[in-house]
Amino acid sequence: MANRPLALRLLALTFPLVAKGFPDETLEKAAKSEGYCSRILRAQGTRREGYNEFSLRVEGDPEFYKPGNSYRVTLSAATPAYFRGFTLIALKEGKEGDKEEDHAGSFQIIDEEETQFMSNCPVAVTESTPRRRTRIQVFWTAPPAGTGCVILKASIVQKRIIYFQDEGSLTKKICEQDSASEGVTDKPILDCCACGTAKYRLTFYGNWSEKTHPKDFPRRTNHWSAIIGSSHSKNYILWEYGGYASEGVKQVAELGSPVKMEEEIRQQSDEVLTVIKAKAQWPAWQPLNVRAAPSAEFSVDRHRHLMSFLTMLGPSPDWNVGLSAEDLCTKDCGWVQKVVQDLIPWDAGTDSGVTYESPNKPTVPQEKIRPLTSLDHPQSPFYDPEGGSIKLVARVVIERIARKGEQCNIVPDNIDDIVADLAPEEKEEDDTPETCIYSNWSPWSACSSSTCEKGKRMRQRMLKAQLDLSVPCPDTQDFQPCMGPGCSDEDGSTCMMSDWITWSPCSVSCGMGTRSRERYVKQFPEDGSMCKVPTEETEKCIVNEECSPSSCLVTEWGEWDECSASCGTGMKRRHRMIKMTPADGSMCKAETTEAEKCMMPECHTIPCLLSPWSEWSDCSVTCGKGMRTRQRMLKSAAELGDCNEELEQAEKCMLPECPIHCELTEWSQWSECNTSCGKGHMIRTRMIKIEPQFGGAACPETVQRSKCRVRKCLRGAGMEKRRWKEAREKRRSEQAKKSLDSEQYPVCRMKPWTAWTECSTLCGGGIQERYMMVKKRSKSTQFTSCKDKKELRACNVHPC
């Protein structure tokens, strides 16, 4: 019993209180006979009416499920409550759970250290180890079509008390989606009844690194793109599972560019309250003591109470993470205090790549947005042949930091609500470590907005020294909200003013005078009131402090030139002119140029943003050795700096060897006829110079035969005698000729004939060869006939 989950052990302890008269022996017998699953459902522990400290939630709070889709289910406890054990099941509506077919869908474990399947009831999920916890998550895959409504139920074990509710916050009913509405995520959103407004801070914690996701991890180019999103009404959806990606979503998903997405959001101005933006992260993960997690603040109201955002996991074909239409309004007419959501990547349906750096492969036709799974493709970095869950790549935390206006929530504020509203919105006093030595802050820049819409202004400082490298130094830039000239955040009847015109010349050419500048009203208040904002201002000015005859008269200083550096520290200059030299004829010692240091935003090394490599080209040859190439494109703008990364690569390629065809010598001369009389044949041959290889053309015949006919043969013994006599005369003639040649050409001496070679075939007519080689050759050019000799004769002429 000691090894059973806490929910099972405590259930065994409390069961006698619920079903009176049941001893342990009876319980063990029941567990074996009818299964522990049915016992869970009949175990009703002590509970209180309206007890809402525990809650069971399906991500997005859908009322309908789509068969086969996966949903994140969260069981949580509100502070200060906690639970030690739990049980989670899913039943078909109206079923008791006594039979296996009563259960609907299947659960997937996300964190094996927190959750496991029950040994006695494998369709249920319980705790892995008994300890205090406030939250667990699992995936639930919806059952096939035709199942109908499903009831998700949770039991809570706390201080040996089991809370199991048939209604209320630990029970969730979700019904099958009607096939007529298939295609778009059915996620009905209720109207918000909350009052006033609420302000939230979104913080994004990336957890995608080579350590957590080692397969094919892109070491050099891994990053999260800039976060883009908004708080909006239910009439506008940025993205959703089962829907199609807009052009803005596509550009975020494929290129990491938020520009088009922001343009689409701002076009929905009536449905959007705040545009949510946060900077990109290069590389994707760094410790929080090195780089703070990116965050952004936004507001919601009764009409625009949803928030959505997305960010690209890069490089990737079209993979992102984010939230869609997260409702921050509660059913009790209040504002959610905190949302913590773990994120897995999803596919935008616009590119068919399967790896981080797959080449661009547009999906035609475009597919619907869907979560990635571990069984999508064997080459996927998230592939798991056993179909396990994808390891989480990020977490987003949304915390309420303030509420404004009269609130009308039905449930009274708890301590978390009160503390959250007391949290300061603005930055507190400077917490710069003593080990970081900075210059003074520069003056605030002009506001980024020239109208009465909200903008930002910036100031900067330089990091002069970092005494302890282990202690990170805060940013060198500071931002502050602002509005255009003449606008006031508190004054409802504001005037829209132009920028100040440059200062007029000083009123005197020597000594102290005054100068002035003006601006004008661009737009009067809508309520018809008068503009009380000053349109002119003056200040003192000094020109030529010394007005003696020996002093120079100079003009006022001109405006400062632009800083010589686009980032970091540079120099800027201003000039003035000499109006009159000293009357006494002395040299003018007044400076006409002045220079000082200027500080621009901190220089950042912006990595080259490159497209994935294309596929290798075909080999430059059809056989043998050749070359092939591949290319990639520069995505980042040229003004961000030179990119020294190579954009084209070449490598050797090897195809099957080219075929080598057979090569032969020329035909030899025909041999003598193989008979001395009657019909016979003669042959000629040629030799193989190169044997065929690698599929080359085979060698044709190397021996040819041709018929020959000599004079008719004479019959009888006299014929044989005559034939022998003719052969003898022939031999004598040849010997005489050789003797004559030797006398006629005494300097061309020949070796005797070699023996005949073996016959080239055993039957059917072959050839034999013999050679006479030159023994001594004359040095005179007149004996050109002194050459090696070769003779052929037929052999083995009998049929095979």
Side-chain angles (χ1 to χ4, degrees):
M1 185 171 179
N3 294 327
R4 282 189 265 171
L6 181 63
L8 177 57
R9 287 186 275 122
L10 293 182
L11 182 58
L13 292 171
T14 57
F15 199 86
L17 301 175
V18 180
K20 295 180 180 179
F22 276 60
D24 283 345
E25 182 181 351
T26 307
L27 290 178
E28 294 296 332
K29 185 177 180 180
K32 293 178 181 179
S33 62
E34 60 185 10
Y36 181 64
C37 294
S38 58
R39 291 172 53 207
I40 297 174
L41 300 172
R42 289 198 293 273
Q44 303 271 333
T46 307
R47 63 183 182 191
R48 288 172 256 173
E49 293 298 327
Y51 193 65
N52 293 314
E53 62 181 346
F54 305 111
S55 66
L56 178 66
R57 180 175 183 261
V58 179
E59 181 180 12
D61 295 321
E63 294 184 4
F64 302 94
Y65 68 83
K66 186 176 179 180
N69 272 19
S70 294
Y71 301 86
R72 189 191 308 270
V73 178
T74 304
L75 182 61
S76 59
T79 308
Y82 64 90
F83 55 95
R84 294 181 179 274
F86 71 93
T87 306
L88 184 60
I89 56 173
L91 292 174
K92 296 176 183 176
E93 187 177 28
K95 300 296 182 179
E96 297 296 328
D98 296 332
K99 304 174 183 177
E100 184 177 347
E101 55 266 26
D102 290 353
H103 298 266
S106 59
F107 289 104
Q108 257 185 301
I109 301 299
I110 293 178
D111 187 348
E112 294 181 351
E113 294 184 0
E114 288 285 344
T115 54
Q116 66 177 358
F117 291 108
M118 277 187 137
S119 57
N120 290 353
C121 181
V123 293
V125 178
T126 188
E127 79 283 348
S128 295
T129 54
R131 63 176 182 80
R132 287 193 178 195
R133 51 174 55 83
T134 59
R135 178 173 171 270
I136 64 96
Q137 287 187 334
V138 294
F139 280 119
W140 175 70
T141 301
T147 303
C149 294
V150 175
I151 309 297
L152 294 169
K153 289 188 173 186
S155 65
I156 292 294
V157 179
Q158 185 197 44
K159 298 179 181 177
R160 298 193 176 185
I161 299 174
I162 296 180
Y163 295 94
F164 197 106
Q165 298 184 334
D166 291 327
E167 296 177 357
S169 61
L170 288 178
T171 301
K172 175 73 177 177
K173 177 179 177 180
I174 180 170
C175 294
E176 184 177 343
Q177 177 178 292
D178 186 1
S179 59
S181 61
E182 185 176 353
V184 177
T185 306
D186 193 350
K187 185 176 172 181
I189 301 169
L190 301 177
D191 289 332
C192 179
C193 57
C195 301
T197 63
K199 188 171 185 178
Y200 287 88
R201 178 181 292 113
L202 176 152
T203 308
F204 182 84
Y205 298 95
N207 190 41
W208 175 53
S209 66
E210 189 172 14
K211 182 178 180 180
T212 59
H213 298 79
K215 183 180 178 183
D216 300 333
F217 187 79
R219 293 184 178 181
R220 295 184 59 189
T221 56
N222 63 89
H223 67 284
W224 293 104
S225 72
I227 292 173
I228 182 69
S230 72
S231 56
H232 57 92
S233 72
K234 64 180 182 180
N235 299 325
Y236 172 53
I237 300 297
L238 275 74
W239 70 272
E240 61 180 343
Y241 289 129
Y244 289 98
S246 66
E247 182 61 29
V249 172
K250 177 182 177 182
Q251 289 195 17
V252 173
E254 294 187 10
L255 306 176
S257 170
V259 177
K260 183 64 178 177
M261 186 77 253
E262 184 176 354
E263 180 183 321
E264 290 179 358
I265 292 172
R266 293 192 183 278
Q267 288 174 354
Q268 301 287 333
S269 56
D270 292 339
E271 309 300 334
V272 171
L273 183 59
T274 309
V275 178
I276 301 171
K277 296 194 291 184
K279 62 185 179 180
Q281 298 179 86
W282 293 80
W285 183 87
Q286 282 187 328
L288 292 178
N289 63 344
V290 175
R291 182 184 66 195
S295 64
E297 295 180 3
F298 64 95
S299 298
V300 291
D301 59 18
R302 177 179 289 190
H303 177 57
R304 293 155 294 193
H305 53 96
L306 308 176
M307 74 80 57
S308 303
F309 83 93
L310 68 157
T311 175
M312 179 193 76
L313 176 149
S316 68
D318 59 345
W319 300 340
N320 309 262
V321 298
L323 291 181
S324 175
E326 183 70 23
D327 195 350
L328 299 175
C329 182
T330 68
K331 296 178 181 178
D332 300 323
C333 303
W335 297 110
V336 173
Q337 201 274 319
K338 188 175 184 179
V339 175
V340 179
Q341 200 69 276
D342 292 323
L343 305 174
I344 60 172
W346 49 268
D347 190 302
T350 61
D351 192 291
S352 300
V354 295
T355 66
Y356 290 126
E357 298 185 286
S358 291
N360 292 331
K361 188 179 180 182
T363 303
V364 180
Q366 184 174 336
E367 296 179 353
K368 296 176 182 178
I369 296 173
R370 63 171 184 84
L372 292 179
T373 72
S374 60
L375 293 174
D376 283 339
H377 195 282
Q379 293 181 7
S380 167
F382 305 108
Y383 181 72
D384 179 0
E386 297 181 359
S389 59
I390 290 181
K391 190 172 290 187
L392 305 171
V393 296
R395 169 176 288 183
V396 62
V397 177
I398 303 171
E399 294 180 282
R400 198 184 74 219
I401 56 177
R403 289 182 296 182
K404 293 183 179 179
E406 184 179 353
Q407 302 295 310
C408 55
N409 44 307
I410 299 170
V411 178
D413 288 345
N414 58 31
I415 187 64
D416 290 333
D417 288 318
I418 298 170
V419 170
D421 287 341
L422 292 176
E425 290 188 49
E426 302 300 329
K427 293 183 178 180
E428 297 180 354
E429 61 186 37
D430 190 3
D431 57 352
T432 302
E434 295 180 357
T435 56
C436 300
I437 310 301
Y438 288 94
S439 66
N440 293 328
W441 285 107
S442 68
W444 286 104
S445 68
C447 189
S448 62
S449 171
S450 59
T451 67
C452 289
E453 294 183 1
K454 287 188 176 180
K456 286 184 178 180
R457 61 177 184 169
M458 179 187 72
R459 63 176 182 172
Q460 304 171 87
R461 60 181 176 178
M462 287 178 57
L463 178 62
K464 292 183 174 181
Q466 186 174 358
L467 304 182
D468 186 351
L469 295 178
S470 64
V471 179
C473 293
D475 294 336
T476 58
Q477 295 179 338
D478 189 21
F479 295 90
Q480 191 179 72
C482 61
M483 291 193 295
C487 300
S488 170
D489 202 6
E490 292 79 17
D491 187 5
S493 56
T494 57
C495 300
M496 186 179 295
M497 305 297 294
S498 70
D499 293 334
W500 286 105
I501 299 172
T502 55
W503 288 102
S504 66
C506 196
S507 60
V508 297
S509 60
C510 185
M512 181 179 291
T514 59
R515 62 178 183 174
S516 63
R517 64 177 182 175
E518 299 176 343
R519 60 180 176 178
Y520 59 91
V521 179
K522 293 177 67 176
Q523 183 177 322
F524 287 91
E526 295 181 0
D527 58 7
S529 59
M530 295 296 294
C531 282
K532 300 178 182 179
V533 180
T535 58
E536 183 178 355
E537 65 179 8
T538 61
E539 69 175 12
K540 293 180 179 180
C541 55
I542 299 176
V543 185
N544 301 311
E545 296 181 8
E546 294 185 14
C547 299
S548 63
S550 60
S551 61
C552 294
L553 293 183
V554 294
T555 62
E556 292 182 77
W557 286 108
E559 296 292 333
W560 287 103
D561 295 338
E562 291 186 0
C563 191
S564 61
S566 57
C567 65
T569 305
M571 296 296 293
K572 63 180 181 178
R573 290 176 171 80
R574 63 177 181 174
H575 309 276
R576 62 181 177 180
M577 298 176 62
I578 298 174
K579 293 176 65 176
M580 185 180 296
T581 56
D584 59 4
S586 60
M587 294 294 294
C588 189
K589 298 179 181 179
E591 296 290 340
T592 57
T593 301
E594 188 176 47
E596 69 176 24
K597 288 184 179 180
C598 52
M599 187 170 57
M600 299 300 287
E602 185 178 358
C603 295
H604 295 282
T605 302
I606 301 175
C608 299
L609 187 57
L610 299 167
S611 70
W613 284 107
S614 67
E615 296 286 356
W616 285 104
S617 67
D618 293 335
C619 199
S620 59
V621 296
T622 57
C623 60
K625 295 179 180 179
M627 297 295 291
R628 64 177 186 171
T629 60
R630 65 176 183 173
Q631 297 82 28
R632 59 182 175 180
M633 296 176 61
L634 181 64
K635 287 184 178 181
S636 53
E639 56 266 20
L640 295 182
D642 294 333
C643 184
N644 297 322
E645 296 289 336
E646 59 180 348
L647 300 179
E648 184 171 0
Q649 286 182 342
E651 70 174 13
K652 294 180 181 178
C653 52
M654 182 72 183
L655 294 178
E657 290 285 354
C658 298
I660 298 176
H661 304 298
C662 178
E663 288 189 17
L664 301 167
T665 62
E666 295 295 325
W667 287 105
S668 68
Q669 297 295 321
W670 287 102
S671 70
E672 294 179 357
C673 198
N674 65 339
T675 61
S676 59
C677 65
K679 293 180 180 179
H681 70 265
M682 55 185 179
I683 63 173
R684 66 174 181 175
T685 62
R686 56 182 175 180
M687 309 298 291
I688 297 175
K689 292 169 63 177
I690 299 178
E691 293 281 353
Q693 297 183 63
F694 313 117
C699 291
E701 59 183 349
T702 57
V703 178
Q704 284 184 344
R705 288 188 295 178
S706 179
K707 293 179 181 180
C708 58
R709 185 180 182 88
V710 190
R711 57 184 172 78
K712 290 184 179 181
C713 296
L714 299 177
R715 297 179 181 179
M719 181 184 66
E720 291 295 331
K721 186 176 180 181
R722 184 177 177 178
R723 191 179 295 170
W724 175 83
K725 187 177 180 179
E726 287 177 352
R728 187 180 62 181
E729 291 292 333
K730 186 178 180 181
R731 286 196 298 271
R732 288 177 179 176
S733 176
E734 287 178 353
Q735 289 175 358
K737 186 178 180 182
K738 290 178 184 178
S739 177
L740 181 63
D741 288 344
S742 176
E743 293 174 2
Q744 197 170 7
Y745 309 110
V747 291
C748 184
R749 296 180 183 178
M750 307 296 289
K751 293 180 181 180
W753 285 101
T754 64
W756 289 101
T757 62
E758 291 185 4
C759 190
S760 61
T761 61
L762 297 176
C763 61
I767 60 170
Q768 287 178 298
E769 298 175 346
R770 68 174 182 174
Y771 303 92
M772 178 183 283
M773 311 300 292
V774 174
K775 186 175 182 180
K776 183 177 182 181
R777 183 176 281 110
S778 173
K779 296 181 181 180
S780 175
T781 57
Q782 60 180 340
F783 301 109
T784 57
S785 60
C786 190
K787 297 180 180 178
D788 294 340
K789 296 180 180 181
K790 175 183 175 182
E791 282 188 351
L792 302 174
R793 73 177 182 183
C795 57
N796 294 339
V797 294
H798 57 277
C800 294

mmCIF file of all heavy atoms in Angstrom, residues 499-514:
data_model
loop_
_atom_site.group_PDB
_atom_site.id
_atom_site.type_symbol
_atom_site.label_atom_id
_atom_site.label_comp_id
_atom_site.label_asym_id
_atom_site.label_seq_id
_atom_site.Cartn_x
_atom_site.Cartn_y
_atom_site.Cartn_z
ATOM 1 N N ASP A 499 5.832 71.971 -33.880
ATOM 2 C CA ASP A 499 7.142 72.003 -33.236
ATOM 3 C C ASP A 499 7.602 73.458 -33.126
ATOM 4 O O ASP A 499 7.145 74.342 -33.851
ATOM 5 C CB ASP A 499 8.163 71.207 -34.052
ATOM 6 C CG ASP A 499 7.846 69.724 -34.044
ATOM 7 O OD1 ASP A 499 7.207 69.264 -33.084
ATOM 8 O OD2 ASP A 499 8.232 69.036 -35.019
ATOM 9 N N TRP A 500 8.535 73.726 -32.179
ATOM 10 C CA TRP A 500 9.094 75.078 -32.041
ATOM 11 C C TRP A 500 9.922 75.419 -33.285
ATOM 12 O O TRP A 500 10.685 74.603 -33.793
ATOM 13 C CB TRP A 500 9.995 75.163 -30.803
ATOM 14 C CG TRP A 500 9.241 75.195 -29.498
ATOM 15 C CD1 TRP A 500 9.114 74.173 -28.623
ATOM 16 C CD2 TRP A 500 8.538 76.303 -28.947
ATOM 17 N NE1 TRP A 500 8.359 74.552 -27.544
ATOM 18 C CE2 TRP A 500 7.999 75.875 -27.713
ATOM 19 C CE3 TRP A 500 8.301 77.616 -29.361
ATOM 20 C CZ2 TRP A 500 7.236 76.687 -26.891
ATOM 21 C CZ3 TRP A 500 7.534 78.441 -28.541
ATOM 22 C CH2 TRP A 500 7.007 77.992 -27.323
ATOM 23 N N ILE A 501 9.753 76.664 -33.758
ATOM 24 C CA ILE A 501 10.592 77.180 -34.833
ATOM 25 C C ILE A 501 11.939 77.555 -34.219
ATOM 26 O O ILE A 501 12.039 77.868 -33.026
ATOM 27 C CB ILE A 501 9.921 78.402 -35.500
ATOM 28 C CG1 ILE A 501 8.570 77.969 -36.098
ATOM 29 C CG2 ILE A 501 10.801 78.999 -36.581
ATOM 30 C CD1 ILE A 501 7.740 79.118 -36.605
ATOM 31 N N THR A 502 13.010 77.521 -35.024
ATOM 32 C CA THR A 502 14.352 77.790 -34.483
ATOM 33 C C THR A 502 14.444 79.177 -33.851
ATOM 34 O O THR A 502 13.686 80.099 -34.196
ATOM 35 C CB THR A 502 15.400 77.674 -35.599
ATOM 36 O OG1 THR A 502 15.034 78.558 -36.671
ATOM 37 C CG2 THR A 502 15.476 76.259 -36.128
ATOM 38 N N TRP A 503 15.424 79.326 -32.941
ATOM 39 C CA TRP A 503 15.587 80.597 -32.223
ATOM 40 C C TRP A 503 15.953 81.730 -33.203
ATOM 41 O O TRP A 503 16.663 81.521 -34.177
ATOM 42 C CB TRP A 503 16.710 80.485 -31.181
ATOM 43 C CG TRP A 503 16.330 79.626 -29.981
ATOM 44 C CD1 TRP A 503 16.703 78.352 -29.758
ATOM 45 C CD2 TRP A 503 15.523 80.020 -28.882
ATOM 46 N NE1 TRP A 503 16.177 77.890 -28.594
ATOM 47 C CE2 TRP A 503 15.448 78.917 -28.005
ATOM 48 C CE3 TRP A 503 14.849 81.198 -28.518
ATOM 49 C CZ2 TRP A 503 14.726 78.915 -26.823
ATOM 50 C CZ3 TRP A 503 14.130 81.217 -27.325
ATOM 51 C CH2 TRP A 503 14.065 80.088 -26.496
ATOM 52 N N SER A 504 15.451 82.913 -32.865
ATOM 53 C CA SER A 504 15.813 84.098 -33.651
ATOM 54 C C SER A 504 17.234 84.528 -33.304
ATOM 55 O O SER A 504 17.789 84.073 -32.294
ATOM 56 C CB SER A 504 14.849 85.248 -33.330
ATOM 57 O OG SER A 504 15.030 85.658 -31.971
ATOM 58 N N PRO A 505 17.901 85.371 -34.137
ATOM 59 C CA PRO A 505 19.237 85.882 -33.774
ATOM 60 C C PRO A 505 19.165 86.683 -32.472
ATOM 61 O O PRO A 505 18.120 87.211 -32.085
ATOM 62 C CB PRO A 505 19.611 86.772 -34.946
ATOM 63 C CG PRO A 505 18.738 86.314 -36.071
ATOM 64 C CD PRO A 505 17.456 85.861 -35.454
ATOM 65 N N CYS A 506 20.280 86.744 -31.775
ATOM 66 C CA CYS A 506 20.335 87.515 -30.530
ATOM 67 C C CYS A 506 20.073 88.995 -30.844
ATOM 68 O O CYS A 506 20.454 89.499 -31.905
ATOM 69 C CB CYS A 506 21.709 87.324 -29.877
ATOM 70 S SG CYS A 506 21.754 87.834 -28.147
ATOM 71 N N SER A 507 19.442 89.672 -29.926
ATOM 72 C CA SER A 507 19.036 91.063 -30.168
ATOM 73 C C SER A 507 20.219 92.030 -30.200
ATOM 74 O O SER A 507 20.073 93.170 -30.629
ATOM 75 C CB SER A 507 18.037 91.504 -29.090
ATOM 76 O OG SER A 507 18.637 91.403 -27.797
ATOM 77 N N VAL A 508 21.393 91.611 -29.726
ATOM 78 C CA VAL A 508 22.570 92.485 -29.746
ATOM 79 C C VAL A 508 23.708 91.754 -30.448
ATOM 80 O O VAL A 508 23.706 90.529 -30.541
ATOM 81 C CB VAL A 508 23.000 92.894 -28.320
ATOM 82 C CG1 VAL A 508 21.914 93.695 -27.629
ATOM 83 C CG2 VAL A 508 23.365 91.654 -27.488
ATOM 84 N N SER A 509 24.666 92.489 -30.941
ATOM 85 C CA SER A 509 25.828 91.876 -31.573
ATOM 86 C C SER A 509 27.016 91.831 -30.632
ATOM 87 O O SER A 509 28.041 91.261 -30.965
ATOM 88 C CB SER A 509 26.203 92.643 -32.847
ATOM 89 O OG SER A 509 26.509 93.984 -32.527
ATOM 90 N N CYS A 510 26.869 92.438 -29.459
ATOM 91 C CA CYS A 510 27.945 92.438 -28.477
ATOM 92 C C CYS A 510 27.340 92.529 -27.092
ATOM 93 O O CYS A 510 26.503 93.394 -26.829
ATOM 94 C CB CYS A 510 28.886 93.608 -28.752
ATOM 95 S SG CYS A 510 30.349 93.626 -27.677
ATOM 96 N N GLY A 511 27.691 91.574 -26.228
ATOM 97 C CA GLY A 511 27.166 91.582 -24.875
ATOM 98 C C GLY A 511 25.946 90.691 -24.734
ATOM 99 O O GLY A 511 25.743 89.747 -25.496
ATOM 100 N N MET A 512 25.108 91.010 -23.724
ATOM 101 C CA MET A 512 23.938 90.184 -23.419
ATOM 102 C C MET A 512 22.694 90.777 -24.056
ATOM 103 O O MET A 512 22.463 91.976 -23.973
ATOM 104 C CB MET A 512 23.744 90.062 -21.902
ATOM 105 C CG MET A 512 22.531 89.189 -21.515
ATOM 106 S SD MET A 512 22.322 89.030 -19.735
ATOM 107 C CE MET A 512 23.750 88.035 -19.333
ATOM 108 N N GLY A 513 21.874 89.887 -24.678
ATOM 109 C CA GLY A 513 20.614 90.307 -25.273
ATOM 110 C C GLY A 513 19.567 89.231 -25.056
ATOM 111 O O GLY A 513 19.668 88.413 -24.139
ATOM 112 N N THR A 514 18.591 89.201 -25.911
ATOM 113 C CA THR A 514 17.533 88.181 -25.833
ATOM 114 C C THR A 514 17.271 87.629 -27.238
ATOM 115 O O THR A 514 17.583 88.258 -28.247
ATOM 116 C CB THR A 514 16.217 88.780 -25.291
ATOM 117 O OG1 THR A 514 15.795 89.837 -26.149
ATOM 118 C CG2 THR A 514 16.394 89.280 -23.868
#
